[in-house]
Amino acid sequence: MAVKETNILNRLYFVAGCMFVFALAVVFKLCSIQFIQGDKYRELAEKRTVKDFDIEPNRGNVYSADGSLLATSIPKYDIRIDAVQAKEAVFESHLSALADSLAAFRNTSASYYKNSIRKARKNKNRYFLLARDISYSDYLRVRNFPLLKLGAIKGGLIVEQTTRREHPMGEIAARSIGYERIDENNYATRVGIDGAFGERYLKGQKGKRLKQKIGNGQWKPIADFDQIEPQDGYDVYTTIDVNIQDIAHHSLLGQLEKYEAEHGCVVVMDVKSGEIRAISNLAKTSKGTYYEKLNYAVGESHEPGSTFKVMAMMAALEDRVIDTATVIDTKKGTKYFYGRTISDSHRGGYGKISAARTLEVSSNIGLATIIDDHYSKNPEKFLNRLSQWRLDEPLGVSIIGEGKPDIPKPGAVNWSRNALPSMAYGYNLTMTPLQTLAFYNAIANDGELIKPRFIRSVKSFDKNIEVFEKEVLVKQICSDKTLAEIQDILKNIIIRGTGERMYSETFSMAGKTGTARTDYANNEEWRKDRKYISSFAGYFPADNPKYSCIVVIHKPSTKVGYYGADVSGPVFKRIAQKIYTDTPIIDEIESLDFHNNLVESDFEGYYEYARKYKKLMPSVIGMPAMDAIALLENLQIKVNVKLRGSGTVNKQSVDRHQTLKPNQTIVLEAS
C-alpha cells in the first residue's frame, strides 16, 4: 500500500514539474514577444488589420478641336454606413429621419430602411450599403442626410468613389477616341486616342488611402488619417471636328446599310495641316446593325486596287519613261502577261488611248503595260520610287495598331514576273486606307507628304503641357510638272472618267475610284459568291483643296452594286457637299434613297423657287436630320433641331407650301 502511494506521488511530482516547466516557457515566450519581438508582431498585426489602398485618379478628358467633349471620366459613389460606429443615443435620435430621407431618395418605404439599418446594427454590420453607383450631385445630397452628415467618426459614414469612362457622342468615333482597360491580370488593352495617350498623359497618378479591416474581407476607410490625394490626368485636345465627324459617320452608315456591306471606313483630313477631322469605322453585326468594332482605317492592310494606279502613273511620269500623251495599246479588253490574263471592266476594251486616258478610265491593261514595258528589266527603279514616297513603311501615327504595308521585292515569296504588272493596278501589295489617304493628301498639298495627326495639344486646365506640330515626312514627292499633270487627271476622272457620276457643276472634286477583288484565293468559291472592296480617294475642292478624304467599303452586296464609283463615291460626294458647298446637290436626294416622298423634279422646283424668293417652306419629313439642316440653311432659313445629326425628321414646325416670314426659325424634330 505504501509503495502504491509512493508511485502516485512520484507521478504527481512529475506532472507538476512538467507544468512548471511549461509555465516557465510560456512566461519566457510572453516576455520575448513583449520586450524582444514586440515591434515585429505589432507591425504584423497592424498590417493584417490596417493597410494602404490605391485611390484611382480621374482620367483626363478627350476633347474635339472646338472643345466639345469626346471622352470623360464620370465619378460614381457607393455610400455605406458603419452601423456600429454611432453612439446609441445618436443612432436612435437620427434613425427615423435618415430612413425618411433614404425613402424619398429611392422612392421606397421608410420602414424598410429603418428596419434594415437597425438589423445591421444588431448584427454588428460595419459596412452596410445604402446607395450604389450614384452621381456626384446625388452623393452631395446623400451625405447631408441625418446621421450621415455627422461624418465617419460620429455618424459612421463610408464613401467609396470609382470612375467610369463615358463617350458623350455615343458610338460615333468610339473606337478612334478609344479606351484603356486593365483586366484582372493587370494586362492593359489600349485602343484609339485614349489608349495611345493614356499611359503618358491621361492616366494621372494614384493616391493612397488608409483602410481598416472590419471582417469578412471588408475594409473601411480610416477618416482620422491623412490620405495622399490622386493627381488627375491631363486633358487631350484632338483634331476631330464633331460636325464633320457626324457627317462622315452617318454618310458611311447609310451607304453600308444600303449595300449590306460587311464593314467600311472613312477618313477626312485637313490638307495643309494633316489634322484628321473625322474618322469612322463601322462593321456589321449578326443582327444587321453597324457599330465601331475595329479601327479599319488605321489597322487594316488590304490590296488597294485602282486607287494605287495613281502612284504607278506618277512613278512613270516622274521617271520620264512616258508623258501624258504617250499612246498605250489596251487591246480589246484583255491582254496576256507572262501566261496570265489581265482584263478591263469595259467590254471590248479601249483600244489605243493616251497614258492620261488610261488612268481616267482606270484601265488595268493600260497601267500594267506602262509599268511592265518600262520597269520589268529593272524593277528596283520602280520600287525605289515607291520607297522615296515612304509607301513601303508605316506612317508612324500616334494611334496603336497601325497596319504595315507590304510591297514585294525581288526574292520575296510573293514576287514573280507578274508582280510588277499586278502592282500597277493595285494588286499583289497591301496598304492601309490611312496610308493611301496620306499620299493623295500630298498631291492636294502641292507635293508635301505630311504625317496624319490626331492630337493638337495636351493641357492641364488652360496650361499647355505639350503641343503637337505638323510633321513633314517628304518635303516634295515629285516635280511640279508631274504634280500638275496628275492633278489634272484626277479632276478629269470626275469630269469624264470613272467618277463622272459624281460630277457636279456647282462643286469641284478630284480623286480616283477603286474596285478590288477580295477572297479570290479559291477561284471556284469566289466565282459563286464574288466579293469586292470598293473605294474612293481624293480631295475637294479640286482647286486650292481644303480637305482630302478616303472611303473604303468591304464586301458590298453584288446584288446592289460593287464598283467604287457607285458604292464609295456617293459617300465622298455627300461628305464634300455637306462640308464645303453653298449649293445643295439635288440629285443626291434621289441617289441616296431618302424616301421623303418627293420626286426629284418637284423638290428641285421648290428649291429653285424658294432660293429665288425665300418664301416657301419645303417638306423635309423623312429626310436624315443632317440633310434637312443642309438644305434649309442653304436656303438661308434658320433651323433649330432637336437631336441634331441623328435619326430622320418626323416633324417640322412650318408645313410644306407655307410662306416663310423674315428671320423665321424652323423647328425640326428628329427620331
Side-chain angles (χ1 to χ4, degrees):
M1 188 71 177
V3 174
K4 189 178 290 187
E5 290 179 355
T6 302
N7 289 335
I8 292 172
L9 288 173
N10 289 336
R11 291 177 183 177
L12 289 173
Y13 293 148
F14 177 76
V15 172
C18 290
M19 292 179 66
F20 180 73
V21 172
F22 179 74
L24 289 176
V26 170
V27 172
F28 176 78
K29 188 63 177 177
L30 288 173
C31 293
S32 176
I33 292 174
Q34 182 69 24
F35 301 108
I36 301 175
Q37 296 178 297
D39 292 339
K40 173 185 175 182
Y41 285 106
R42 275 190 291 271
E43 183 180 351
L44 182 61
E46 188 174 329
K47 283 184 177 179
R48 290 182 176 179
T49 59
V50 178
K51 70 176 182 179
D52 279 327
F53 282 78
D54 289 333
I55 306 175
E56 294 294 334
N58 287 325
R59 200 171 181 82
N61 294 332
V62 179
Y63 292 94
S64 68
D66 64 355
S68 298
L69 195 58
L70 300 179
T72 187
S73 292
I74 304 297
K76 296 293 181 180
Y77 299 86
D78 289 349
I79 306 297
R80 298 177 182 270
I81 187 172
D82 182 346
V84 182
Q85 183 69 28
K87 293 181 179 180
E88 185 68 24
V90 174
F91 179 81
E92 291 296 339
S93 64
H94 289 88
L95 178 58
S96 295
L98 174 60
D100 290 339
S101 297
L102 289 170
F105 177 68
R106 287 301 190 195
N107 196 24
T108 312
S109 66
S111 60
Y112 166 77
Y113 281 107
K114 188 173 182 178
N115 294 334
S116 297
I117 297 171
R118 192 180 294 281
K119 184 179 178 180
R121 185 174 177 87
K122 180 180 178 181
N123 294 334
K124 299 188 183 303
N125 188 337
R126 310 194 67 176
Y127 202 61
F128 183 69
L129 180 66
L130 297 178
R132 184 190 296 279
D133 206 27
I134 62 175
S135 66
Y136 180 69
S137 59
D138 285 340
Y139 155 69
L140 293 178
R141 177 183 172 188
V142 172
R143 69 174 296 170
N144 285 308
F145 284 175
L147 188 60
L148 300 182
K149 65 182 180 181
L150 300 179
I153 301 301
K154 294 182 178 181
L157 174 66
I158 300 173
V159 179
E160 294 184 327
Q161 177 185 338
T162 57
T163 56
R164 179 184 300 165
R165 202 66 169 163
E166 299 283 354
H167 294 83
M169 290 183 66
E171 290 300 314
I172 297 178
R175 184 79 184 186
S176 301
I177 296 168
Y179 55 81
E180 178 185 75
R181 292 176 183 162
I182 309 296
D183 63 18
E184 63 274 9
N185 298 317
N186 205 35
Y187 178 79
T189 300
R190 300 183 178 97
V191 301
I193 294 168
D194 208 319
F197 292 89
E199 191 68 26
R200 186 174 177 185
Y201 297 116
L202 293 165
K203 189 175 182 179
Q205 295 183 8
K206 294 180 180 180
K208 294 290 184 181
R209 173 182 292 157
L210 201 61
K211 290 187 178 183
Q212 181 180 20
K213 191 173 185 180
I214 57 177
N216 296 325
Q218 297 174 344
W219 295 80
K220 178 182 116 177
I222 300 176
D224 290 343
F225 288 85
D226 292 335
Q227 65 183 33
I228 301 174
E229 295 294 336
Q231 295 182 20
D232 292 344
Y234 297 131
D235 295 331
V236 170
Y237 285 77
T238 72
T239 61
I240 299 294
D241 183 301
V242 292
N243 290 325
I244 297 178
Q245 180 66 47
D246 189 67
I247 291 168
H249 173 90
H250 286 94
S251 298
L252 176 64
L253 176 60
Q255 205 73 340
L256 290 174
E257 291 175 337
K258 179 177 179 178
Y259 284 86
E260 302 173 2
E262 181 186 271
H263 67 273
C265 66
V266 58
V267 185
V268 180
M269 182 173 172
D270 185 276
V271 167
K272 297 299 181 184
S273 68
E275 293 185 341
I276 299 299
R277 293 286 179 250
I279 177 170
S280 184
N281 302 273
L282 296 172
K284 192 176 185 180
T285 68
S286 58
K287 296 180 180 179
T289 58
Y290 289 87
Y291 78 113
E292 292 238 350
K293 180 181 180 181
L294 297 171
N295 197 331
Y296 300 108
V298 174
E300 184 177 42
S301 295
H302 58 82
E303 290 177 317
S306 296
T307 55
F308 192 81
K309 290 175 182 175
V310 172
M311 292 76 153
M313 176 65 76
M314 284 184 64
L317 291 173
E318 187 68 4
D319 288 336
R320 300 290 185 263
V321 297
I322 61 164
D323 58 34
T324 56
T326 300
V327 176
I328 309 298
D329 189 359
T330 65
K331 307 297 182 181
K332 295 182 179 181
T334 59
K335 184 177 179 179
Y336 289 97
F337 287 80
Y338 310 109
R340 179 169 166 266
T341 303
I342 293 179
S343 304
D344 281 337
S345 59
H346 181 67
R347 183 173 296 180
Y350 299 100
K352 294 181 179 181
I353 55 177
S354 69
R357 187 62 180 163
T358 64
L359 190 55
E360 291 174 5
V361 299
S362 198
S363 170
N364 295 337
I365 295 172
L367 270 296
T369 298
I370 291 171
I371 299 304
D372 187 65
D373 285 353
H374 299 285
Y375 294 100
S376 60
K377 295 180 181 179
N378 185 14
E380 286 80 5
K381 183 178 181 181
F382 177 72
L383 297 173
N384 288 341
R385 180 65 66 184
L386 301 183
S387 294
Q388 289 176 13
W389 295 335
R390 300 186 59 156
L391 295 176
D392 57 349
E393 58 184 286
L395 294 165
V397 296
S398 56
I399 290 182
I400 297 170
E402 182 185 3
K404 295 182 179 179
D406 180 20
I407 297 180
K409 297 180 179 180
V413 293
N414 53 348
W415 182 265
S416 67
R417 297 184 70 186
N418 268 307
L420 273 182
S422 295
M423 291 167 62
Y425 59 98
Y427 286 85
N428 202 48
L429 60 96
T430 61
M431 297 176 64
T432 69
L434 190 61
Q435 290 157 3
T436 300
L437 176 62
F439 190 83
Y440 276 77
N441 192 82
I443 296 172
N445 195 30
D446 295 327
E448 186 179 62
L449 178 64
I450 309 171
K451 179 190 288 188
R453 185 157 47 104
F454 293 87
I455 302 297
R456 275 188 173 177
S457 63
V458 177
K459 294 183 178 181
S460 176
F461 298 102
D462 293 329
K463 178 183 177 183
N464 282 329
I465 303 301
E466 187 168 351
V467 177
F468 296 84
E469 303 291 349
K470 180 176 78 172
E471 185 175 343
V472 178
L473 300 177
V474 179
K475 191 171 183 179
Q476 190 72 24
I477 59 173
C478 63
S479 65
D480 292 339
K481 181 177 185 298
T482 298
L483 192 64
E485 289 170 341
I486 208 70
Q487 288 172 342
D488 283 341
I489 294 173
L490 291 178
K491 284 191 286 187
N492 288 332
I493 287 173
I494 304 297
I495 297 171
R496 64 191 185 205
T498 55
E500 62 183 343
R501 276 169 286 188
M502 298 171 59
Y503 175 72
S504 170
E505 293 181 355
T506 60
F507 184 74
S508 64
M509 297 168 283
K512 179 71 183 74
T513 59
T515 308
R517 298 183 302 170
T518 185
D519 297 345
Y520 57 86
N522 187 330
N523 288 322
E524 291 301 323
E525 289 296 324
W526 185 83
R527 289 189 181 95
K528 294 178 183 177
D529 186 17
R530 298 188 176 191
K531 301 294 183 184
Y532 296 89
I533 301 173
S534 304
S535 57
F536 188 93
Y539 49 86
F540 56 92
D543 299 313
N544 192 23
K546 174 64 176 175
Y547 298 107
S548 60
C549 177
I550 187 168
V551 182
V552 181
I553 295 179
H554 286 251
K555 302 179 182 179
S557 172
T558 53
K559 297 177 182 178
V560 185
Y562 59 87
Y563 285 113
D566 297 326
V567 181
S568 297
V571 179
F572 180 97
K573 178 181 178 181
R574 186 180 180 196
I575 291 171
Q577 178 259 324
K578 286 178 178 298
I579 292 175
Y580 212 68
T581 185
D582 291 329
T583 305
I585 300 173
I586 303 304
D587 60 6
E588 194 77 336
I589 294 168
E590 184 176 56
S591 67
L592 291 179
D593 196 19
F594 289 154
H595 303 292
N596 61 349
N597 299 319
L598 290 171
V599 297
E600 183 177 357
S601 59
D602 185 28
F603 193 97
E604 186 170 0
Y606 270 106
Y607 170 73
E608 291 299 333
Y609 189 89
R611 186 183 181 198
K612 183 175 182 180
Y613 298 104
K614 304 291 191 300
K615 289 183 178 181
L616 294 184
M617 174 66 189
S619 173
V620 292
I621 303 296
M623 291 179 63
M626 289 302 297
D627 296 281
I629 294 167
L631 175 64
L632 296 177
E633 288 183 347
N634 285 318
L635 293 175
Q636 298 181 12
I637 299 172
K638 296 180 180 179
V639 185
N640 184 4
V641 183
K642 298 179 180 179
L643 296 179
R644 176 170 183 155
S646 62
T648 56
V649 177
N650 53 32
K651 187 176 180 181
Q652 60 186 60
S653 61
V654 177
D655 292 334
R656 184 184 184 189
H657 295 200
Q658 295 297 309
T659 301
L660 296 171
K661 300 175 182 178
N663 299 317
Q664 186 173 0
T665 298
I666 306 300
V667 179
L668 304 179
E669 292 185 8
S671 60

